[in-house]
Amino acid sequence: MRGWREGVEVVALSLRGYGYGNEDEEDDRPEKPRRYGVTEMRSPFYSFRPANQALQEILDSVSPFVDGLKFSGGCHSLMGKELVREITDLAHKHDIYVSTGDWAEHLLRQGPSSFKQYVEECKALGFDTIELNAGSLNLPEEALLRLVHLIKSSGLRAKPMFSVKFDSSDIPASRDRAFGAYIAPVKEKTSERVEDVDLLIRRAERCLEAGADMIMIDADGVCQRAESLRTDIVAKIVGRLGLDKTMFEASNPNTSEWFVRRYGPRVNLFVDHSDVMNLERLRGFNMHRSNLASRYASPFFLM
């Protein structure tokens, strides 16, 4: 494992020596902690090995390239508090923030006070970011903004997650679409899902105004597969919210490659832990001016 890491460093230095990745200062990512060019990694806690052991092995290799660790699917709710704290401490030793993932919606069923307790417990366990899945929470817009305020007042980062598809009853009538205005839906909830990128952007903008640190974009309907990637939606979101305030879920290496080719190394991406090295390879090569990445199907060619 050590030899592989040394090989990665040698190749990276060699590429920089030939000028790859150093052509524009503004395109280079800064050292951690980063505001842009962020790589958030999905937790490897579905492994049969102990959670902390699996994570330790991964971070020993890729920690310089990882900015955040996300507990996916509420897996932390199945762990003991001591183990969760051990994992968050391990991530912090590698200068990696820890996100809860989209689990908060399961606690709101217990009443409003349960969310405040959840935030306090997350802080005590070492979490840095609380993710709010707006679609799953199914709350009025003002209620979502209050949750953002509560998280921020507790000293944690808030990251609302939005999908491009909404319940049809949430879509305001065209005549009510005043810029920046909130029109409360009057129709009953339905099971029909309707695509509305303008509504996504407006709600995300309000969350950012309320203090949210970043907006996560759900891959469903936008970037789940590279061959059906909605470039028009991605461009509109980036154009309105800004590259540094948006994070996209990249479900596979092909999707990651498209984002880096299109938006450069500054794009914020959420990827599986198995795709971290591949993403860093893409970020390190200047994809706008070279096609060297196509020569290497995987960073593991060094093994």
Side-chain angles (χ1 to χ4, degrees):
M1 185 68 74
R2 181 181 176 184
W4 169 57
R5 290 199 302 275
E6 292 174 348
V8 172
E9 293 172 359
V10 169
V11 170
L13 291 172
S14 299
L15 288 167
R16 292 192 179 102
Y18 282 106
Y20 296 113
N22 292 325
E23 294 164 12
D24 294 306
E25 280 289 326
E26 62 181 17
D27 285 338
D28 289 339
R29 286 189 303 157
E31 297 296 322
K32 295 195 299 184
R34 289 183 271 261
R35 292 185 303 104
Y36 53 84
V38 172
T39 295
E40 186 170 289
M41 181 183 79
R42 179 181 289 108
S43 62
F45 302 148
Y46 44 79
S47 170
F48 287 107
R49 287 172 292 175
N52 53 346
Q53 179 183 336
L55 182 62
Q56 179 71 70
E57 292 177 2
I58 293 171
L59 294 186
D60 282 345
S61 302
V62 304
S63 63
F65 315 131
V66 176
D67 301 273
L69 173 70
K70 177 176 175 177
F71 278 65
S72 297
C75 57
H76 58 286
S77 65
L78 303 176
M79 301 177 181
K81 292 182 179 180
E82 292 184 3
L83 177 56
V84 173
R85 185 73 215 198
E86 184 177 338
I87 292 170
T88 58
D89 286 345
L90 175 60
H92 292 155
K93 288 179 182 178
H94 290 273
D95 296 321
I96 294 172
Y97 69 81
V98 187
S99 172
T100 60
D102 52 342
W103 186 247
E105 62 269 20
H106 297 280
L107 298 166
L108 291 179
R109 301 170 184 169
Q110 304 172 19
S113 61
S114 63
F115 186 79
K116 184 176 181 180
Q117 295 171 0
Y118 171 69
V119 172
E120 292 172 351
E121 185 171 340
C122 286
K123 186 173 183 178
L125 291 174
F127 286 97
D128 307 287
T129 299
I130 292 182
E131 189 171 294
L132 298 169
N133 189 325
S136 298
L137 285 169
N138 198 24
L139 290 173
E141 190 169 329
E142 296 300 327
L144 179 63
L145 297 179
R146 285 196 292 271
L147 295 185
V148 172
H149 283 299
L150 176 59
I151 294 170
K152 294 298 295 180
S153 65
S154 300
L156 301 179
R157 301 173 195 159
K159 184 194 288 185
M161 179 177 182
F162 288 95
S163 168
V164 75
K165 294 181 180 179
F166 296 86
D167 189 295
S168 60
S169 62
D170 289 335
I171 309 295
S174 57
R175 64 180 182 276
D176 293 330
R177 284 181 176 275
F179 180 77
Y182 171 67
I183 307 298
V186 296
K187 297 178 286 186
E188 294 183 359
K189 291 291 182 180
T190 69
S191 59
E192 182 183 2
R193 306 290 287 175
V194 179
E195 180 183 295
D196 194 326
V197 64
D198 292 314
L199 184 58
L200 181 159
I201 291 171
R202 190 185 60 73
R203 290 189 172 180
E205 286 175 334
R206 294 202 70 196
C207 285
L208 290 173
E209 291 168 0
D213 298 88
M214 190 174 288
I215 302 297
M216 172 73 83
I217 304 300
D218 191 350
D220 186 30
V222 179
C223 51
Q224 199 162 27
R225 289 177 292 275
E227 61 271 15
S228 58
L229 199 145
R230 292 294 302 276
T231 59
D232 56 332
I233 291 177
V234 173
K236 197 166 188 177
I237 291 172
V238 171
R240 288 280 296 276
L241 302 181
L243 201 59
D244 61 327
K245 289 295 184 180
T246 312
M247 177 175 286
F248 292 93
E249 182 179 1
S251 303
N252 55 70
N254 290 336
T255 304
S256 299
E257 181 170 348
W258 181 88
F259 273 108
V260 178
R261 282 185 179 275
R262 178 64 182 83
Y263 293 102
R266 296 167 65 100
V267 64
N268 304 313
L269 295 175
F270 168 58
V271 299
D272 188 75
H273 71 274
S274 61
D275 194 31
V276 168
M277 285 302 302
N278 178 66
L279 175 57
E280 191 63 24
R281 173 181 63 86
L282 295 171
R283 291 192 195 276
F285 291 176
N286 193 311
M287 302 298 292
H288 294 295
R289 294 189 56 182
S290 77
N291 60 359
L292 284 178
S294 62
R295 299 183 187 179
Y296 305 107
S298 166
F300 298 106
F301 70 93
L302 293 170
M303 297 181 68

